[in-house]
């Protein structure tokens, strides 16, 4: 199957949240038809690779199919968390956008990207 | 029942809350104003002055909201008590004056006396002693069981300290509908409502706008949400039509999973909520119906946030502009790394070149070689005031001893905290509810 590369941003929106030193990023397909593409490619390993150098601990994934959502929970992620980090963004609030910079192989028979 | 959200954090805007009380036909409004960070700050404020330690905007918020609350019969619940609910209630009573509404407050979340050197910390795996820093505060997340007596008192204003954020909204719902403390399905549904309301504008288009991708009409005057809740804990999330912002499936979905780890096990003091089966339904413009949330038995223990002295943080910056700005910024950073090499907890960012994610490999690979201007931003943590001062001194010295054209030095030294989680048995806490009738 041929495919082309698109940024995750064209297919999905995302929100980051923090609890102490753990960050979660929930990713939502705009078009439900793209959910299987995201499910196949946004593996915990792929997300961990994209976040390499930022996340020190493990990455876990929870799927919520009826919301077309994948929730990534990343341990030891925020350099100590909002009260401990020397990073400007100790909450990791900018991380949702950072993850949307991942490249996705969009199969040619998939619907076109809804955005961008 | 109609319940609104008046604040999603300690410094949130006031006007959207006031508009909701004036126009939202609310039974209740909840102001969620406390986070890990603000609570530690409040504890420090209380230690310095025993009449302080509550939210600094409490008086301003009440002054603005009390007339409309009285007119419309809206009751208010808030964790603006922070580290000092009693002082907050007294301040509220002073403000509302003789004949003002009854004010109830809840004390008992302060569990500093239960934290010992061998107390285990859930997130580190070690003990309090292993952290090696003084404990500043320890506060348990209370739930509706501890809040309900204050609501039952009939007080128009209920003030708490640390409670779980969704519990602020769940408590009035459980009171109104008479939900039992072990009605896990409804408590799970009500917790979803509270979870969606607790961050205020985050479900009405705040923390959401991304031009061209997720446009938000009238975001400059974004409104706060309200929920229309039924006795079975299903609900509609909506907002005032006249306010800016939007409520749609995307804004609600994002907030359903905000700060959630396992969606099937969202732990609060009230319930192990299960959001994994949540279903959304469009119910007209800016109206999203919620169903499918459930729950299982609540945890046996209460989560405690333990705050430790985090030492001093010194933070300073200097800017470079024009051709070669990034190279001069990097030279300044190299100079600082050399001059401050004895400080182990030192971080230098290049704002404008690789400001937030410089430790990420993809950013290092693609780091632009140039930038119109760059700010070299230094942050250090130390126990030693002299070392903290030296960080600021070294940055300022770059004016004449560093690269060409450096300008705009600013810096400050402040105290900091670190926080960790512990768990205590429920029966270890003792709660006190007082009612002030001015």
């Amino acid at each position: 199957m041929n495919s082309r590369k698109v940024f995750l941003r064209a297919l999905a929106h995302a929100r980051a949240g923090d609890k102490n030193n753990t960050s979660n990023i929930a990713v939502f397909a705009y078009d439900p038809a793209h959910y299987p593409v995201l499910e196949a490619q946004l593996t915990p390993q792929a997300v961990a690779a994209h976040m390499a150098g930022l996340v020190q601990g493990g990455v876990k994934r929870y799927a919520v199919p009826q919301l077309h959502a994948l929730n990534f929970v990343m341990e030891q992620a925020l350099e100590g968390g909002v009260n401990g980090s020397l990073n400007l963004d100790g909450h990791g609030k900018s991380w949702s956008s950072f993850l949307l910079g991942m490249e996705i192989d969009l199969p040619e028979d998939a619907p076109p990207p809804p955005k961008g | 029942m109609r319940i609104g959200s008046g604040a999603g954090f300690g410094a949130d805007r006031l006007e959207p809350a006031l508009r909701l009380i004036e126009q939202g036909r609310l039974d209740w409004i909840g102001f969620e104003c406390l986070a890990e960070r603000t609570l530690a700050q409040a504890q420090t404020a209380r230690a310095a002055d025993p009449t302080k330690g509550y939210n600094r905007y409490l008086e301003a918020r009440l002054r603005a909201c009390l007339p409309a609350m009285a007119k419309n019969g809206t009751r208010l619940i808030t964790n603006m008590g922070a580290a000092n609910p009693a002082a907050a209630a007294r301040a509220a009573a002073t403000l509302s004056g003789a004949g003002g509404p009854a004010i109830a407050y809840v004390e008992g979340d302060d569990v500093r006396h239960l934290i010992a050197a061998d107390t285990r910390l859930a997130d580190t795996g070690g003990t309090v002693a292993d952290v090696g820093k003084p404990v500043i505060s320890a506060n348990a997340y209370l739930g509706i069981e501890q809040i309900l007596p204050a609501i039952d008192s009939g007080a128009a204003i209920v003030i708490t300290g640390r409670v779980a954020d969704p519990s602020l909204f769940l408590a009035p719902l459980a009171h109104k509908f008479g939900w039992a403390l072990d009605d896990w399905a409804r408590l799970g549904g009500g917790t979803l409502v509270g979870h969606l309301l607790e961050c205020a504008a985050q479900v009405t288009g705040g923390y959401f706008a991304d031009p061209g991708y997720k446009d938000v009409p009238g975001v400059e005057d974004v409104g706060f949400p309200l929920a229309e809740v039924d006795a079975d804990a299903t609900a509609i999330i909506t907002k005032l039509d006249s306010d800016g912002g939007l409520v749609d499936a995307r804004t609600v979905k994002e907030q359903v999973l905000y700060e959630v780890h396992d969606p099937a096990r969202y732990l609060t003091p009230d319930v192990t909520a299960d959001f994994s089966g949540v279903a959304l339904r469009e119910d007209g413009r800016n109206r999203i119906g919620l169903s499918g949330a459930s729950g299982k038995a609540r945890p046996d223990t209460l989560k405690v946030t333990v705050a430790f002295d985090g030492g001093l943080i010194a933070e300073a910056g200097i800017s470079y502009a024009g051709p070669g700005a990034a190279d001069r910024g990097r030279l300044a950073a190299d100079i600082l790394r050399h001059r401050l090499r004895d400080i182990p907890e030192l971080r230098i960012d290049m704002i404008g070149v690789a400001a937030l994610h410089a430790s990420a490999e993809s950013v290092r690979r693609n780091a632009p070689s140039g930038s119109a201007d760059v700010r070299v931003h230094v942050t250090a943590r130390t126990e030693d005031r002299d070392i903290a001062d030296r960080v600021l001194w070294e940055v300022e010295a770059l004016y004449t001893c560093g690269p060409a054209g450096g300008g705009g030095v600013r810096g400050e030294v402040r105290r900091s905290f670190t926080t960790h989680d512990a768990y205590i048995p429920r029966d270890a806490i003792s709660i006190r509810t007082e009612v002030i009738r001015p």
Side-chain angles (χ1 to χ4, degrees):
Chain A
M1 174 70 65
N2 289 328
S3 67
R4 64 189 173 111
K5 290 203 181 295
V6 298
F7 281 115
L8 178 58
R9 187 187 189 205
L11 305 177
H13 55 111
R15 176 164 295 191
D18 73 303
K19 277 190 193 299
N20 274 333
N21 202 12
T22 302
S23 171
N24 86 290
I25 306 176
V27 178
F28 306 84
Y30 285 114
D31 181 344
H34 291 128
Y35 180 71
V37 176
L38 303 187
E39 201 177 21
Q41 293 183 42
L42 290 180
T43 61
Q45 295 75 15
V47 169
H50 186 74
M51 308 303 282
L54 294 177
V55 175
Q56 307 302 317
V59 177
K60 257 191 210 163
R61 184 179 91 168
Y62 298 96
V64 191
Q66 82 281 10
L67 299 183
H68 320 116
L70 296 168
N71 188 36
F72 297 92
V73 179
M74 297 164 287
E75 308 280 349
Q76 296 173 57
L78 297 172
E79 301 177 34
V82 66
N83 292 308
S85 175
L86 297 184
N87 189 326
L88 275 173
D89 182 15
H91 286 104
K93 285 189 177 280
S94 60
W95 281 32
S96 54
S97 307
F98 185 83
L99 185 60
L100 294 180
M102 250 181 99
E103 280 190 324
I104 299 291
D105 289 317
L106 186 64
E108 271 179 2
D109 64 348
K115 302 283 178 178
Chain B
M1 166 147 160
R2 294 169 69 85
I3 183 164
S5 174
F9 77 110
D12 214 340
R13 283 187 195 147
L14 174 54
E15 312 95 88
L18 185 55
R19 291 198 296 266
L20 268 185
I21 298 169
E22 286 172 341
Q23 303 167 42
R25 295 178 285 117
L26 301 181
D27 301 289
W28 280 89
I29 188 163
F31 285 73
E32 197 291 290
C33 293
L34 204 51
E36 291 162 7
R37 183 187 180 101
T38 38
L39 181 57
Q41 288 167 343
Q43 291 286 5
T44 307
R46 182 181 183 165
D49 178 347
T51 70
K52 293 290 196 295
Y54 59 89
N55 185 278
R56 63 188 154 139
Y57 299 120
L58 173 90
E59 283 101 334
R61 287 189 169 115
L62 289 181
R63 194 177 292 119
C65 293
L66 280 171
M69 284 171 55
K71 178 162 168 260
N72 298 329
T74 302
R75 296 169 75 184
L76 182 153
I77 182 166
T78 182
N79 53 16
M80 276 192 276
N84 203 345
R90 283 193 294 271
T94 303
L95 178 77
S96 50
I103 299 155
Y105 66 91
V106 182
E107 281 187 322
D109 61 295
D110 186 336
V111 293
R112 174 71 190 83
H113 57 288
L114 298 177
I115 302 301
D118 62 352
T119 300
R120 197 145 283 284
L121 298 172
D123 55 331
T124 67
T127 64
V128 164
D130 293 337
V131 176
K133 304 276 171 62
V135 173
I136 291 175
S137 64
N139 292 81
Y141 284 78
L142 306 182
I144 64 169
E145 185 174 15
Q146 292 81 34
I147 302 171
L148 280 169
I151 291 182
D152 291 340
S153 76
I157 298 170
V158 173
I159 298 177
T160 75
R162 179 74 280 173
V163 304
D165 296 350
S167 308
L168 274 183
F169 300 88
L170 178 61
L173 293 171
H175 169 83
K176 160 85 175 178
F177 295 122
W179 293 336
L181 290 178
D182 62 355
D183 186 346
W184 309 124
R186 286 188 179 80
L187 295 181
T191 294
L192 175 65
V193 174
H195 176 66
L196 290 172
L197 294 178
E198 72 183 53
C199 293
Q202 283 196 184
V203 76
T204 50
Y207 196 40
F208 182 80
D210 191 356
Y213 289 77
K214 297 186 296 176
D215 292 301
V216 179
V219 68
E220 65 281 4
D221 280 314
V222 66
F224 288 170
L226 71 103
E228 304 166 1
V229 191
D230 285 325
D232 64 357
T234 60
I236 303 271
I237 299 289
T238 184
K239 68 174 192 70
L240 297 175
D241 274 336
S242 50
D243 275 349
L246 82 165
V247 177
D248 68 13
R250 299 167 307 165
T251 66
V252 174
K253 279 183 190 179
E254 285 196 13
Q255 194 61 18
V256 168
L257 294 182
Y258 178 69
E259 291 184 346
V260 167
H261 293 171
D262 181 351
R265 294 181 69 252
Y266 183 65
L267 300 175
T268 79
D270 308 312
V271 62
T272 301
D274 182 351
F275 298 162
S276 65
V278 168
L280 308 181
R281 179 184 83 255
E282 307 256 358
D283 186 61
R285 186 168 165 265
N286 290 319
R287 293 174 63 82
I288 292 291
L290 308 172
S291 59
S294 184
K296 302 178 203 64
R298 68 188 190 185
D300 293 330
T301 52
L302 296 177
K303 184 169 122 172
V304 177
T305 295
V306 186
F308 295 83
D309 185 342
L312 297 169
I313 297 265
E315 192 162 12
I318 184 167
S319 290
Y320 298 88
D327 290 336
R328 279 174 288 130
R330 287 192 187 96
L331 175 57
D334 290 342
I335 293 169
L336 290 170
R337 268 189 213 100
H338 175 77
R339 302 281 304 176
L340 300 171
R341 61 190 179 278
D342 58 312
I343 303 176
E345 288 193 83
L346 180 77
R347 180 186 174 106
I348 301 180
D349 292 300
M350 301 277 287
I351 299 178
V353 175
L356 287 174
H357 303 298
S359 56
E361 281 164 14
S362 64
V363 169
R364 279 206 299 277
R365 273 199 307 274
N366 302 322
S369 57
S371 177
D373 54 66
V374 61
R375 187 158 183 86
V376 178
H377 184 91
V378 187
T379 314
R381 184 202 312 282
T382 174
E383 303 293 326
D384 186 328
R385 179 78 208 196
D386 290 341
I387 291 177
D389 287 339
R390 189 157 62 81
V391 172
L392 269 55
W393 191 351
E394 283 292 350
V395 173
E396 193 158 8
L398 290 173
Y399 270 143
T400 55
C401 302
V409 171
R410 298 279 188 284
E412 63 162 4
V413 176
R414 62 179 189 276
R415 285 223 73 80
S416 74
F417 318 95
T418 60
T419 52
H420 296 288
D421 297 337
Y423 289 88
I424 59 165
R426 288 177 174 274
D427 57 12
I429 58 169
S430 59
I431 300 299
R432 206 161 66 93
T433 301
E434 294 276 334
V435 183
I436 301 176
R437 299 183 193 280

